[in-house]
Amino acid sequence: AWVRLGALQLDRDISVRSSEVGGVGGKGAFALVDIAPGALIAPYRGEKLDMLGLLRRYPRLVKKRQAEVMAAATAAAAAATAGGARSGGAGSRLAPSTALPEDCPDYVWRVNDNHFIDARSPELSNWCRYVNHADEPWTNVVVRPAPLYILGGGVSLFALRRIQRGEELLCDYGPRYWEGREAEVRAPSVAGLGARPRCERPR
């Protein structure tokens, strides 16, 4: 029978086990039941942070933002010197050499500009932290703002299409997750997609 309503539960509906996504030997979330398209899969649980809390926890984001502002200002000044040509968004991305290491917010999802959910702690989160990234057309999960009656808002995972028993759940983390990660392999096959998780993370 297709699962249509209600959040899916670990062990009953979902299994967390080894995944070959990205070829890094990490974990993934797999369906133990068939899931109907559009079905609520589960809310993304974790610690709720505002912008200040996010920057305190991940101070490298401050440096990242400062670098973006400085690069944009430099590009604008150069364009003005060259006759007022538009910069075309130069400086909006960091070079791989300035990518964020261990304190990168890999498990953070953005709800809005001042509401983030951080699932870095397994004890304070749920199995959704193990949902891996995939590019289209391999995604089968979409992350959307959750209704207020589900954990007071936040974001939840929904089935993008029919998901069959045994399939790994895969969603698109969004382009900002990959800023500074350009060197990571994103092969056009499920066995070689992306790295580790996490609505853009963060946008």
Side-chain angles (χ1 to χ4, degrees), residues 86-102:
R86 296 177 63 87
S87 66
S92 62
R93 299 180 62 163
L94 294 179
S97 61
T98 58
L100 312 182
E102 294 79 15

Side-chain angles (χ1 to χ4, degrees), residues 9-185:
Q9 297 180 16
L10 184 63
D11 296 329
R12 187 193 71 181
D13 308 307
I14 297 293
S15 170
V16 172
R17 60 178 191 265
S18 296
S19 169
E20 295 184 6
V21 168
V24 295
K27 293 181 179 181
F30 295 79
L32 294 177
V33 295
D34 297 327
I35 306 171
L40 166 67
I41 293 177
Y44 190 84
R45 295 179 185 267
E47 297 175 81
K48 295 182 179 181
L49 301 174
D50 58 15
M51 177 60 78
L52 182 58
L54 181 74
L55 296 178
R56 283 175 174 169
R57 176 168 292 183
Y58 301 105
R60 288 179 182 270
L61 287 176
V62 178
K63 296 179 181 180
K64 176 178 183 291
R65 181 57 182 160
Q66 290 173 339
E68 290 174 344
V69 171
M70 289 297 296
T74 302
T81 302
R86 296 177 63 87
S87 66
S92 62
R93 299 180 62 163
L94 294 179
S97 61
T98 58
L100 312 182
E102 294 79 15
D103 61 351
C104 182
D106 279 356
Y107 295 91
V108 174
W109 285 81
R110 171 189 175 274
V111 181
N112 56 48
D113 288 341
N114 199 43
H115 183 184
F116 302 86
I117 301 174
D118 190 357
R120 74 174 184 176
S121 168
E123 293 76 20
L124 300 175
S125 59
N126 63 355
W127 61 264
C128 292
R129 71 193 300 275
Y130 296 106
V131 174
N132 283 309
H133 168 85
D135 292 321
E136 293 183 359
W138 296 282
T139 53
N140 53 20
V141 171
V142 62
V143 179
R144 294 178 178 150
L148 289 177
Y149 64 83
I150 301 178
L151 291 183
V155 294
S156 288
L157 282 62
F158 296 85
L160 192 58
R161 58 167 175 78
R162 287 188 174 185
I163 301 174
Q164 296 184 343
R165 183 183 311 170
E167 278 192 76
E168 181 172 1
L169 305 186
L170 300 167
C171 69
D172 185 350
Y173 293 166
R176 288 205 176 179
Y177 177 83
W178 299 101
E179 291 180 0
R181 302 170 185 260
E182 290 82 356
E184 295 182 12
V185 176

